Amino acid sequence: DPNIKGAASEGVLANFFNSLLSKKTGSP
Amino acid sequence: LALLEKSREFFQICDREEKGFINRADLQHLQTELSLSSNELQDVFDVLDADQNGSLTLEEFTTGFSQFLFGEKTI
């Protein structure tokens, strides 16, 4: 199901970019 | 414009050797920094690597970033 795959992809991307965002904001 | 700047910034974090592209090994290096598993980073790479050629360009990376921000592919 492409919808399920799409949702899973978004979750994976969200984790990745959220981690990058918090890494940036967490550094001085 | 802010999207592009942020995307370029993140791209440079991943592309430490300034090759101009990101490969799977580059993402794996971020495993400890980003607290993501190897499998998760593999999935991220697969999602971002739209043409599945094994390297991520800034354009592909930006497309993925905008997909994350806006929920769909806008670039």
Side-chain angles (χ1 to χ4, degrees):
Chain A
D1 187 330
N3 288 334
I4 293 175
K5 195 181 174 202
S9 301
E10 281 174 27
V12 164
L13 280 186
N15 274 344
F16 175 67
F17 285 115
N18 279 326
S19 297
L20 276 174
L21 284 168
S22 53
K23 173 180 155 63
K24 284 304 290 181
T25 52
S27 49
Chain B
L1 190 62
L3 164 79
L4 291 176
E5 282 175 7
K6 208 71 188 166
S7 177
R8 187 183 298 271
E9 200 177 314
F10 289 159
F11 187 86
Q12 284 166 348
I13 292 175
C14 300
D15 180 22
R16 295 182 193 194
E17 297 160 2
E18 299 180 11
K19 301 183 295 300
F21 63 88
I22 301 168
N23 57 30
R24 287 184 189 274
D26 291 325
L27 276 197
Q28 294 299 327
H29 284 145
L30 298 172
Q31 209 177 123
T32 47
E33 287 181 49
L34 299 183
S35 307
L36 291 172
S37 72
S38 176
N39 279 343
E40 284 170 320
L41 288 168
Q42 287 280 0
D43 288 345
V44 168
F45 193 91
D46 288 337
V47 173
L48 292 177
D49 188 16
D51 58 6
Q52 300 184 326
N53 67 350
S55 64
L56 292 182
T57 61
L58 179 60
E59 285 76 16
E60 285 172 320
F61 193 85
T62 305
T63 300
F65 189 47
S66 101
Q67 193 180 350
F68 157 67
L69 288 178
F70 304 115
E72 58 185 39
K73 291 187 177 180
T74 52
I75 294 181

